[in-house]
Every structure is written in C-alpha cells, then in structure tokens.
C-alpha cells in the first residue's frame, strides 16, 4: 500500500506539472505519513542528501562552464574543429560534434554544451544551407558526449550516490574512451546523413589558419588538463579542482582572451547559482525518495526479481539498460542517478560488473534520456536555440538515437573501453 502511495503521488504530481523536486518530496512525505514515520524524517533526509563534501564541486563546475561560454571559448573551439574537418560533405555537422567534444572536456555539462555550441553552430549551419532540424539534432546528441569526457559533475553525483566511495578520478578516466568513441560514431552518422540529404561541402582554410585557431583555443583546452592532472597527481581533490577550474577560467577570460567583463561575470554567477540550486535541491529531494524506497525494500525486491529472471550478466545489464532508458524518458538525470544507483548498482555488482564501469553505463544511458521526449531537457534547449519545434526534431533524429544506442551497447558489453585507462594509471 505504501509503495502504491509513493509512486501514485509522484506520478500524479508530475502529471499535473509540479516540478520534479517538489513531486519527489511530496511523494516521500506521503509515504512516510502512511508508514507512521514522523514528517521530520523527510526534512532530515533532505539535509543529509546534500551534506556531502564532494557535491560542493557541482556549483563550481557549473560556474566554470558558464564562464567558458561567456569568455568565448566555445567559438574558438568551433574554429579549431572547422579548420580541421569542415571541408568534407556535411562538414559543419562533424565540426559541431568535434566542438562539443572539446567543450565537454572543459565544461562537463550537456545543457551547457547544447547552449554554447548550439548558439554558435546552429545559426552558422543555417546560413550555409543546412536544414535547421539537422543542425539541432547533431548539436543536442553531440552534447551528450560532454557527460562522458571528464570532468562531469554527474559522475560526482554518481560517486556520492553509490555509497561505496567510487573514485571520482577513476570515473573521469573511465569516461575518456567511451566519450571519444561516442563522438566518433556521431561524426560518422553526421556524415552519412549529410551525404543522404546532399548537404553542402565546406572548404579547407589552410594549415596556417588551423594552427592559428588551435593556438587561440589552447588556453581554454588547458582547463581539462589542469583538472585531470591535478586530480591524478594527488595535488588536489575533485572538489578543489572545480574551484581551480572556475578561477582559471576567470583568469583566461579576463587576461588572455579579454572577453569576460564584470557584466558577464555577474551574469554567469547569477545563472550558476540558480542552476546549482535547482540541481542540489533535486538531489536532496531524490535522497528522501530513495530513503523511502529503501524502507520499502524496493532495491532488494528488484534485485531478487532480476535474479529470478536471469543470472546471466549480459541479460542483467540489458534489463537494467532498458529500465534506465524507460525512466530517462520522463525524469531528469540528476534525480535518476540518486534514486537508481542504490537500486541497480548492487544488482550489477552481484553479476560481476565493476562499479566504475557501471557508472559510465549510467552516464551514457541517462544522457540519452536528456534528448528523448517528453522530458528531454537538452532536446528542449536545442529546440529553443534553433527555433525548431520538438515534434519536427523527433521525426528526423532517429539515426542519431540509433548511434547513441549502438555506443551504449559497446560501452556496456566491452568493459575494457571504460576500465583500461583507470587500470593503466593505477599501475
């Protein structure tokens, strides 16, 4: 009965348009009352949900990502990618993916990537004769790569939600090859679709222009090097690296690129505070909801159900992937990480899946949900940037969905893609 109340209230709140965080809190509170648990427990779990030191990295990484956008780093990355691969048919689509990969390496946010790269690439592609739906579809699916290529604040959420102290440094390293693979697969699909739709060729500006563009973008790309180098060397923690990334971005934006002023700084600070507050509030509410699930022994029951269906690791991962893909269509990524990690991680570890590998599976799986209606936040950002209705995007985005699913299958069933680099660096 209590389980029915928990999910009934949640779905009812979501159906009438209540924000996710408040829906999770209302469902948790209703469940606690039905179980005879004092309401103060909900407040305590909300506080406990964000009383985690590693979560302090999230506001700083969000701030650094917004500063990078306002400092013009996204535009410089676009120039590098355009000079490198823009000359082939549909080259601007490939440029879009390449720029998103580089921006993901310094921001770690799919929404930031879709907004920053999209605001530059989508108008440019339209001016060059590319269909608007193609431009937006490439942009939003390429933005998912930023969830895999370090740093990624969603990996920090997963580490905190795991409850077993999964190394953030290992997660960052584990995302490198899956991120590169996914990006290359999206580039190939962008070229295939461009060829089928007879999209225009670009031109090669020459090696001098490429070197010049790379030199201009180099200080921005150094952000990722500083973050990963500091973490792997033990010079600073992931949380400290996020603050250093924000400080470094301010310095290069003010003194190197000279494109970041007080107005841009305060606008970035205000937007980042609002975004970080929403993310942390959702995490806190999801923690209370997860506690209610634990009291009702849902993780154990679900694990037993999957174990009853199959003990084959391949089938177990397939079932988990299908469940996560379904959940990702109607709930955002951060609450799903907090809620589902304690449920599915023990099941995956029970069939021999490494927790670092499982974290990368979750990042890509739930990232696909960000571009899937009806609650695909990155898809809606792309729609707003490009001025293309979501319904029009969904009709032509299927080749890119198929590419992301193929990448998910490879990441799921080839663990070495995720685990080889952390293993080498640990030696």
């Amino acid at each position: 009965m209590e389980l029915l109340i928990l999910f009934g209230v949640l779905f009812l709140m979501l159906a009438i348009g209540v924000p996710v965080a408040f829906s999770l809190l209302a469902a948790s509170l209703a469940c606690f009352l039905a179980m005879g648990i004092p309401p103060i427990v909900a407040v305590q779990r909300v506080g406990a949900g964000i009383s985690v030191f590693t979560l302090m990295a999230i506001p700083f990484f969000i701030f650094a990502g917004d500063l990078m956008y306002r400092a013009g780093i996204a535009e410089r990355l676009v120039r590098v990618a355009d000079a490198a691969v823009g000359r082939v048919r549909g080259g601007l689509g490939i440029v879009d993916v390449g720029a998103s990969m580089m921006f993901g390496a310094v921001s770690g946010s799919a929404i930031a990537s879709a907004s920053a790269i999209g605001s530059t690439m989508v108008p440019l592609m339209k001016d060059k004769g590319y269909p608007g739906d193609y431009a937006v579809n490439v942009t939003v699916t390429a933005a998912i790569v930023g969830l895999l290529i370090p740093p990624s604040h969603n990996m920090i959420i997963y580490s905190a939600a795991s409850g077993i102290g999964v190394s953030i440094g290992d997660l960052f390293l584990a995302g490198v090859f899956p991120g590169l693979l996914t990006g290359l697969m999206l580039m190939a699909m962008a070229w295939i679709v461009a060829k089928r739709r007879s999209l225009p060729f670009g031109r090669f500006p020459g090696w001098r222009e490429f070197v010049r563009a790379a030199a201009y973008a180099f200080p921005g790309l150094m952000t990722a090097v500083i973050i990963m180098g500091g973490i792997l060397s033990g010079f600073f923690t992931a949380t400290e690296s996020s603050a250093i990334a924000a400080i470094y971005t301010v310095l290069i934006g003010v003194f190197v690129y000279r494109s970041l002023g007080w107005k841009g700084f305060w606008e970035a600070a205000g937007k980042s505070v609002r975004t970080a507050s929403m993310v942390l509030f959702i995490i806190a509410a999801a923690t209370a909801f997860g506690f209610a699930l634990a009291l009702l022994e849902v993780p154990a029951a679900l694990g037993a159900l999957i174990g009853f269906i199959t003990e084959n690791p391949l089938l177990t991962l397939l079932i988990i992937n299908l469940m996560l893909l379904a959940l990702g269509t109607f709930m955002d990524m951060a609450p799903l990480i907090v809620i589902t990690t304690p449920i599915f991680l023990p099941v995956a570890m029970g069939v021999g899946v490494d927790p670092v590998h499982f974290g990368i599976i979750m990042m890509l799986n739930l990232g696909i949900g960000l571009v899937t209606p009806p609650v695909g936040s990155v898809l809606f950002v792309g729609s707003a940037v490009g001025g293309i209705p979501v319904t029009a995007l969904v009709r032509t985005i299927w080749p890119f969905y198929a590419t992301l699913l193929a990448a998910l299958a490879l990441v799921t069933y080839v663990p070495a893609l995720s685990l080889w680099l952390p293993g080498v660096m640990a030696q």
Side-chain angles (χ1 to χ4, degrees):
M1 181 62 182
E2 291 85 358
L3 186 62
L4 181 61
I5 292 174
L6 180 67
F7 284 101
V9 172
L10 174 64
F11 291 136
L12 176 61
M13 294 290 104
L14 292 174
I16 63 177
V18 177
V20 172
F22 292 102
S23 299
L24 292 169
L25 278 177
S28 305
L29 183 59
C31 180
F32 291 154
L33 291 174
M35 297 174 68
I37 297 175
I40 191 64
V41 172
V43 179
Q44 293 172 341
R45 299 316 303 174
V46 166
I50 53 176
S51 298
V52 181
F53 177 72
T54 54
L55 294 181
M56 289 181 62
I58 293 175
F60 287 111
F61 275 132
I62 292 174
F63 186 37
D66 201 276
L67 287 170
M68 290 169 194
Y69 168 60
R70 297 177 189 277
I73 292 177
E75 295 178 7
R76 289 169 171 82
L77 296 178
V78 167
R79 291 176 194 166
V80 176
D82 188 30
V85 297
R87 60 188 180 275
V88 303
R89 183 180 290 279
L92 287 182
I94 301 175
V95 168
D96 196 322
V97 179
S100 295
M101 292 171 67
M102 289 186 285
F103 191 78
V106 294
S107 73
S109 169
I111 291 179
S113 180
S115 177
I117 302 299
S119 62
T120 301
M121 287 300 304
V122 173
L124 176 62
M125 293 171 77
K126 285 183 176 180
D127 289 343
K128 298 294 184 180
Y130 286 74
D133 63 314
Y134 174 86
V136 174
N137 286 338
V138 172
T139 299
V140 297
T141 50
I144 303 306
V145 180
L147 301 172
L148 298 173
I149 297 179
S152 171
H153 65 259
N154 286 291
M155 292 183 183
I156 296 171
I157 298 174
Y158 169 78
S159 175
S162 69
I164 57 174
V166 179
S167 168
I168 295 174
D170 285 348
L171 287 168
F172 281 2
L173 287 172
V176 173
F177 286 136
L180 293 175
L181 173 67
T182 305
L184 291 173
M185 292 175 67
L186 286 171
M187 285 182 179
M189 182 53 67
W191 176 78
I192 291 171
V193 173
K195 189 174 181 180
R196 288 179 176 175
R197 299 176 68 170
S198 299
L199 300 185
F201 285 91
R203 66 174 185 84
F204 181 54
W207 289 109
R208 178 178 295 181
E209 178 61 28
F210 172 74
V211 172
R212 182 181 301 171
Y216 281 132
F218 181 76
L221 288 172
M222 280 298 295
T223 307
V225 176
I226 291 172
I227 292 171
M228 290 305 301
I231 294 174
L232 296 177
S233 66
F235 192 74
F236 44 71
T237 66
T239 304
E240 293 165 345
S241 75
S242 63
I244 291 170
I247 294 171
Y248 176 77
T249 304
V250 171
L251 293 177
I252 63 172
V254 173
F255 297 108
V256 178
Y257 295 144
R258 300 180 182 275
S259 55
L260 183 65
W262 277 112
K263 181 180 179 181
F265 177 85
W266 287 116
E267 287 177 350
K271 183 178 178 181
S272 299
V273 167
R274 291 191 295 271
T275 303
S277 299
M278 289 188 292
V279 171
L280 292 174
F281 185 31
I282 289 173
I283 293 172
T287 302
F289 188 85
F291 183 69
L293 290 175
L295 290 177
L296 296 172
E297 299 183 346
V298 172
L302 188 58
L305 175 62
I306 295 176
F308 175 76
I309 295 172
T310 180
E311 295 182 357
N312 186 305
L314 302 182
L315 291 177
T316 298
L317 286 174
L318 176 61
I319 293 171
I320 292 175
N321 269 327
L322 292 175
M323 289 182 173
L324 289 175
L325 286 169
L327 291 170
T329 62
F330 68 88
M331 190 175 291
D332 211 355
M333 189 169 184
L336 274 179
I337 293 174
V338 178
I339 293 170
T340 61
T341 297
I343 296 175
F344 292 122
L345 180 58
V347 177
M349 292 178 64
V351 294
V353 178
D354 187 280
V356 172
H357 175 212
F358 187 72
I360 303 305
I361 293 172
M362 287 195 72
M363 294 303 106
L364 182 52
N365 189 310
L366 298 181
I368 294 173
L370 296 178
V371 293
T372 307
V375 189
S377 54
V378 174
L379 184 64
F380 285 105
V381 168
S383 173
V385 169
I388 308 294
V390 172
T391 52
L393 296 176
V394 171
R395 285 197 294 266
T396 57
I397 200 173
W398 295 106
F400 299 98
Y401 279 155
T403 304
L404 290 174
L405 291 174
L408 176 61
L410 288 172
V411 169
T412 300
Y413 295 117
V414 185
L417 285 172
S418 303
L419 300 179
W420 182 81
L421 188 57
V424 169
M425 297 303 296
Q427 294 177 359

Coordinates of all heavy atoms in Angstrom, one line a residue, residues 15 29 74 91 103 155 167 180 193 218 220 237 276 300 307 385 410:
A15 N 2.2 14.6 -13.4 CA 1.2 14.7 -14.4 C 0.6 16.1 -14.5 O 0.2 16.6 -15.5 CB 0.1 13.6 -14.2
L29 N 7.0 12.4 1.5 CA 6.3 12.8 2.7 C 5.0 12.0 2.9 O 4.7 11.5 4.0 CB 5.9 14.3 2.7 CG 5.2 14.9 3.9 CD1 6.0 14.7 5.1 CD2 4.9 16.4 3.6
A74 N 33.8 28.6 -26.5 CA 33.0 27.8 -27.4 C 33.3 28.2 -28.9 O 33.5 27.3 -29.8 CB 31.5 27.8 -27.1
G91 N 30.4 18.9 -43.5 CA 31.5 19.1 -42.6 C 31.1 19.9 -41.3 O 31.7 19.6 -40.3
F103 N 34.4 21.1 -26.0 CA 33.7 21.9 -24.9 C 33.3 21.0 -23.8 O 33.4 21.4 -22.6 CB 32.5 22.6 -25.5 CG 31.9 23.6 -24.6 CD1 32.5 24.9 -24.5 CD2 30.8 23.4 -23.8 CE1 32.0 25.8 -23.6 CE2 30.3 24.3 -22.9 CZ 30.9 25.6 -22.9
M155 N 29.1 12.5 -12.8 CA 29.9 11.5 -12.2 C 30.1 11.7 -10.7 O 30.2 10.7 -10.0 CB 31.3 11.4 -12.9 CG 31.2 10.9 -14.4 SD 32.8 10.8 -15.2 CE 32.4 10.3 -16.8
S167 N 35.7 6.0 -6.8 CA 36.7 7.0 -7.1 C 36.3 7.9 -8.2 O 36.0 7.5 -9.3 CB 38.1 6.4 -7.4 OG 39.0 7.4 -7.9
L180 N 35.2 9.5 -26.5 CA 35.8 9.6 -27.8 C 35.1 8.7 -28.8 O 34.8 9.1 -29.9 CB 37.3 9.2 -27.7 CG 38.2 10.2 -26.9 CD1 39.6 9.7 -26.9 CD2 38.2 11.6 -27.6
V193 N 24.3 11.0 -42.8 CA 23.0 11.7 -43.0 C 23.2 12.9 -44.0 O 22.4 13.2 -44.9 CB 22.5 12.2 -41.7 CG1 21.2 13.1 -41.9 CG2 22.1 11.1 -40.8
F218 N 43.9 27.0 -27.3 CA 44.8 26.2 -26.4 C 44.6 26.6 -24.9 O 44.4 25.7 -24.1 CB 46.2 26.3 -26.8 CG 47.2 25.5 -25.9 CD1 47.2 24.1 -26.0 CD2 47.9 26.1 -24.9 CE1 48.1 23.4 -25.2 CE2 48.8 25.4 -24.1 CZ 48.9 24.0 -24.3
G220 N 42.0 27.6 -23.4 CA 40.7 27.1 -22.9 C 40.8 25.6 -22.7 O 40.3 25.1 -21.7
T237 N 41.9 17.6 -4.8 CA 40.8 16.7 -4.9 C 39.9 17.2 -6.0 O 40.1 18.2 -6.6 CB 40.0 16.6 -3.6 OG1 39.4 17.9 -3.4 CG2 40.8 16.3 -2.4
A276 N 22.7 25.6 -10.0 CA 23.3 24.8 -9.0 C 22.2 24.5 -7.9 O 22.1 23.4 -7.3 CB 24.5 25.4 -8.4
A300 N 16.0 -4.4 -2.9 CA 16.2 -5.8 -2.7 C 15.2 -6.6 -3.5 O 15.5 -7.6 -4.1 CB 16.1 -6.2 -1.2
G307 N 17.2 -11.3 -10.5 CA 17.9 -12.5 -10.3 C 17.0 -13.7 -10.6 O 17.5 -14.8 -11.1
V385 N 17.1 27.0 -29.0 CA 18.2 27.7 -29.7 C 18.0 27.7 -31.2 O 18.3 28.8 -31.9 CB 19.6 26.9 -29.4 CG1 20.7 27.5 -30.3 CG2 19.9 27.1 -27.9
L410 N 28.1 -0.9 -27.0 CA 29.5 -1.1 -26.9 C 30.1 -0.9 -25.6 O 30.9 -1.6 -25.0 CB 30.2 -0.3 -28.0 CG 30.0 -0.7 -29.5 CD1 30.6 0.3 -30.4 CD2 30.7 -2.1 -29.7

